[in-house]
Amino acid sequence: MEQPVHLLKQFPKQICGTWRNVPPSYMKLLEEEKMYVVLVTPDQENGLIGGKIINHRALKEETFSSLLVSDKEDGNGGIAMVTLSADAQSLSFIIDYQGLLSKSDPDISTVKIQFARNSRNVVKEITAKVTKQDTELAEVWSRLSQSQSKQLARGKLKLRILAPSGRKLEGRITPKMSCNTYQAVMSGLEALKPSMSVSAGSAIMHIQENGNIRYQVRLIGMESVVTSITIEGAPNKRDKRRRMTRMMNDYKKDKNSLDGWANGTYTKPNAREIYLLMRQQLYVNVATRNKRVSVLRGRITQILFHGHLARHIDHPIVMSPSMMTPPVRSGIAGHVWLDVDKACSLHYDMVVSGISSHHTDFSASIEESPDVRGRPHSILINRFTNNKALGVLSDLPDDFFYNLNFGNIFIKLTTKEHPTGVIQSNVTVPNQCFSKTSRKNNGDILEDMENNLVEEDISRRCNVDGVLYDDGDSWVPKAVKKCATCSCHRGRVICHEAVCPPVSCKDPVKLSGECCPTCISRNKIASGKCFFHGDKRQHHVGTMWYPYVPPFGYSTCAICSCVPGRNEYNCTRIRCPKLDCPDPIRLRGTDCCKVCPVKPVTLTRKSKNVQQDAPKKGDCSVGGKRFDNGEEWNPRITNFGTEKCVTCKCKNGKAKCRRPRCPRLHCRRKTRPSGSCCRVCADGKNGRKDRKRKNRRRKGKAGRNASKLF
């Protein structure tokens, strides 16, 4: 398995990845510890560093770790797995190493293990005996002081191993670094005094190399002023709780609301607090003016990295009872990560809190809004394990992705007691999969075209100034001075100049970085921006823009704006009027809404100048034009022009469009002649077929020559 390196914002010095669908033969090799991991660079194609993958007994209890590097560039080093005791009084550590002892060292040598702040300030020194055949040593540091505990937790100590010959392995001790995420869902039923609250909370946390704990807390549906947000331990026998940190100073309320965010960093942890966090023995507690002890509470748990990048980009979507109509006093809460991959599969990762003790039969559903036209699509999720659901949904309809991109999707949790739902949330996930839906808006012709595409035409990339873009990617061009966005469509670069929504003020202004004018005064510009994935631009809070839909350009069928206080946007689709006719039509490909077809006017004596032929039986109406039964034509597609390589035919009232069937080529270099719909071999031959004919001629000639010999 080979995987390119993608560094994540939360883990700048770590490589995170997932190997999916591991063959059984490789799983066996992993269990037998016969596989290696290698880091390859452009300068070191055979590998810069590498090591065997092992399942060590100390990994489950590891709290701190250290990568040990040799003081000489000889490729040697090691790793230390450090475990803190439950009372935080001692450290147990196991060191796996390579190349510590040199040839001049005795077969049985005494090495020094030092814990130091720098080269001179040694905090603790332990001696141990090792042989040249050993690759592992284990020792204990007992009687750890409070100051040493803080230094250890905050990454201020180094671990050093010294051999008799002077060879040295050294590395900085940090909290155990992984690509996992710490999360908590706070609910009313999990509070110290359980209540059927309509509020909900969500928190995510990450540990940094220096021991800092970055946190992000979201509260929704608060009924009273928030007075306290803390990370704390479980109550002891005297019902007292040890508060680790208070986050209230970082709490910012939403405008005209009691809800809000708490984003900050805890910079003063000690070793025991890191231990409790990794052992999932800490909680997030929220108190308000009406409930001063606890209104929301949730245990901080660790979720393993599985390649779901959404959890490292945005905060999870909070599901609250307050979002139900009307609100349901259930005391339940939840949050969910959603992400759409390049294969247009929807990944979900959901966690629910407060449901185990009061509800046994529950499920979740992802549903389209009842406001969407047609029958809303619904997906049922009922495979929960310990109140968690994780999975992938494939083969979803195109309209679903369109509604997912523009916020017309809801995710809801239902129980036996509340079949209509106990918690829910509106969902917006930017994606490129809904471009197929946009193509349907162009006279419903491109759908037939895509079904007849040959495989070689589907996945083409575009090379722009040495940068390769995949089919469907969009970017802001550097060479174009005007505001424009480009996209790659089947190997062809398509650029569109920005289309701006109309403004209602007399003197609009254009803000820095924006393509369209706005009515916001420069003195009243709201702080904050949001990134829109379609046009690849940062937009100011308070501005509005049309979404860019590759490869069709800017869609005037929706309007987008930033969500204040969050790096998110919301796009609202233009609502179309309900029609009473059975077969509405779209007059032009760029029209957002369909209309009822105009009824033919019957010729009478009073309307000689308003004559219009009535449609004949078997005629077709496409894009506002009428075609006779049996008539053929080349369709005209918005932003593409007339598709000469697509032929449509009207047959018994139905229009069908097809591409010509191109022959399969077996040559390496292919080209498309001007005016041709099919590609041909660059050398003018057909590859294998030509070779087969040539071989048959050779065999026939050889056979005739052989018959002459006899």
Side-chain angles (χ1 to χ4, degrees), residues 26-70:
Y26 291 135
M27 285 297 298
K28 184 178 180 182
L29 291 176
L30 279 170
E31 294 171 355
E32 296 174 354
E33 299 184 354
K34 294 181 179 179
M35 295 199 74
Y36 294 78
V37 59
V38 180
L39 182 65
V40 179
T41 65
D43 298 332
Q44 299 287 340
E45 295 183 356
N46 294 326
L48 179 65
I49 56 174
K52 182 186 291 187
I53 303 174
I54 63 173
N55 184 15
H56 202 281
R57 62 186 184 280
L59 291 174
K60 294 181 180 180
E61 302 297 327
E62 182 182 7
T63 315
F64 301 91
S65 60
S66 177
L67 288 174
L68 306 176
V69 181
S70 174

Side-chain angles (χ1 to χ4, degrees), residues 413-638:
L413 188 80
T414 59
T415 65
K416 187 176 181 180
E417 294 80 2
H418 298 279
T420 58
V422 286
I423 57 174
Q424 76 170 13
S425 179
N426 179 247
V427 176
T428 301
V429 180
N431 66 87
Q432 301 295 332
C433 302
F434 70 97
S435 61
K436 296 180 181 179
T437 305
S438 300
R439 295 176 189 176
K440 290 183 179 179
N441 295 337
N442 289 276
D444 298 329
I445 296 173
L446 283 170
E447 181 182 14
D448 291 324
M449 291 169 52
E450 287 187 348
N451 293 335
N452 292 284
L453 285 177
V454 292
E455 185 177 355
E456 60 190 15
D457 285 334
I458 293 178
S459 58
R460 295 184 188 171
R461 297 196 292 179
C462 301
N463 190 332
V464 181
D465 298 329
V467 180
L468 286 177
Y469 294 95
D470 291 330
D471 184 45
D473 286 351
S474 60
W475 65 92
V476 177
K478 298 180 181 179
V480 181
K481 294 183 180 179
K482 297 181 179 179
C483 280
T485 304
C486 298
S487 62
C488 179
H489 180 65
R490 303 176 190 169
R492 183 173 60 172
V493 177
I494 304 174
C495 296
H496 299 88
E497 191 173 345
V499 179
C500 298
V503 294
S504 57
C505 57
K506 294 183 179 180
D507 299 315
V509 297
K510 185 180 288 187
L511 303 179
S512 175
E514 295 285 352
C515 292
C516 297
T518 181
C519 291
I520 300 177
S521 173
R522 294 185 184 274
N523 299 328
K524 298 181 180 180
I525 299 176
S527 60
K529 295 182 180 180
C530 64
F531 181 77
F532 184 66
H533 294 267
D535 60 9
K536 297 294 187 292
R537 297 181 188 276
Q538 293 279 354
H539 294 274
H540 289 79
V541 172
T543 60
M544 293 187 294
W545 67 94
Y546 287 136
Y548 180 79
V549 184
F552 300 100
Y554 290 87
S555 171
T556 58
C557 299
I559 195 77
C560 301
S561 61
C562 293
V563 178
R566 302 169 62 180
N567 185 21
E568 297 179 6
Y569 62 87
N570 181 45
C571 295
T572 304
R573 190 178 182 180
I574 294 176
R575 295 188 179 276
C576 297
K578 294 184 178 180
L579 304 176
D580 297 330
C581 52
D583 298 312
I585 62 172
R586 185 173 283 103
L587 295 179
R588 293 174 296 275
T590 55
D591 289 352
C592 300
C593 301
K594 291 184 178 182
V595 296
C596 291
V598 179
K599 296 182 179 180
V601 179
T602 305
L603 181 62
T604 63
R605 293 179 181 179
K606 296 182 180 180
S607 57
K608 293 182 180 180
N609 298 327
V610 198
Q611 182 175 355
Q612 183 175 344
D613 294 335
K616 300 177 183 178
K617 185 177 181 180
D619 288 358
C620 301
S621 178
V622 179
K625 295 183 179 181
R626 197 173 70 226
F627 298 92
D628 295 334
N629 189 17
E631 184 179 355
E632 295 185 356
W633 70 95
N634 298 115
R636 179 175 178 80
I637 310 301
T638 306

Side-chain angles (χ1 to χ4, degrees), residues 124-378:
K124 181 70 174 179
E125 182 175 288
I126 302 172
T127 59
K129 290 186 177 183
V130 297
T131 66
K132 290 185 176 181
Q133 290 76 32
D134 292 338
T135 58
E136 180 180 293
L137 64 88
E139 286 293 339
V140 178
W141 176 5
S142 57
R143 298 180 181 179
L144 194 68
S145 66
Q146 291 186 357
S147 62
Q148 293 168 347
S149 172
K150 293 178 181 179
Q151 293 171 6
L152 178 68
R154 300 169 192 178
K156 295 183 178 180
L157 292 182
K158 292 184 177 180
L159 178 61
R160 185 184 303 135
I161 309 176
L162 299 172
S165 61
R167 180 171 290 185
K168 179 174 63 176
L169 301 179
E170 185 179 68
R172 179 185 175 194
I173 304 176
T174 66
K176 178 183 178 181
M177 293 288 100
S178 71
C179 299
N180 301 338
T181 301
Y182 293 90
Q183 58 90 36
V185 178
M186 294 88 76
S187 65
L189 287 177
E190 295 293 331
L192 293 174
K193 294 183 179 180
S195 64
M196 308 296 281
S197 171
V198 299
S199 307
S202 167
I204 58 173
M205 302 177 188
H206 296 97
I207 301 179
Q208 298 177 313
E209 277 190 319
N210 57 2
N212 290 351
I213 301 174
R214 296 188 60 184
Y215 55 81
Q216 189 178 60
V217 181
R218 175 62 168 160
L219 302 180
I220 287 182
M222 303 307 297
E223 299 177 281
S224 179
V225 176
V226 179
T227 57
S228 173
I229 308 174
T230 58
I231 300 177
E232 58 188 36
N236 57 19
K237 295 180 180 179
R238 299 180 180 179
D239 202 26
K240 291 186 178 181
R241 317 183 311 272
R242 184 184 182 279
R243 293 175 177 84
M244 184 170 131
T245 181
R246 292 173 171 84
M247 299 178 281
M248 196 58 207
N249 292 335
D250 298 317
Y251 187 68
K252 305 296 182 183
K253 292 192 299 182
D254 297 344
K255 188 176 180 180
N256 300 324
S257 174
L258 298 176
D259 303 346
W261 292 85
N263 301 324
T265 305
Y266 177 41
T267 59
K268 297 181 180 180
N270 57 39
R272 176 164 173 76
E273 291 170 342
I274 299 290
Y275 171 89
L276 292 174
L277 179 64
M278 292 186 178
R279 296 300 184 277
Q280 304 182 157
Q281 298 179 20
L282 293 178
Y283 300 80
V284 177
N285 189 77
V286 181
T288 62
R289 186 177 296 172
N290 292 343
K291 296 187 177 182
R292 299 187 177 185
V293 177
S294 177
V295 64
L296 296 174
R297 188 176 176 86
R299 180 192 293 269
I300 302 175
T301 60
Q302 187 175 184
I303 46 179
L304 301 179
F305 179 86
H306 57 81
H308 198 199
L309 297 182
R311 62 166 63 156
H312 306 294
I313 299 173
D314 294 314
H315 195 92
I317 301 165
V318 184
M319 302 170 64
S320 169
S322 63
M323 294 184 178
M324 298 295 302
T325 305
V328 179
R329 290 198 168 275
S330 62
I332 300 173
H335 70 201
V336 59
W337 277 279
L338 293 174
D339 183 44
V340 178
D341 60 20
K342 289 185 177 181
C344 291
S345 296
L346 179 66
H347 299 253
Y348 63 89
D349 190 347
M350 186 187 307
V351 182
V352 181
S353 173
I355 202 167
S356 58
S357 58
H358 289 73
H359 305 275
T360 56
D361 187 9
F362 62 93
S363 62
S365 61
I366 304 176
E367 304 175 356
E368 290 180 321
S369 171
D371 296 333
V372 302
R373 298 189 62 185
R375 184 178 179 181
H377 190 75
S378 179

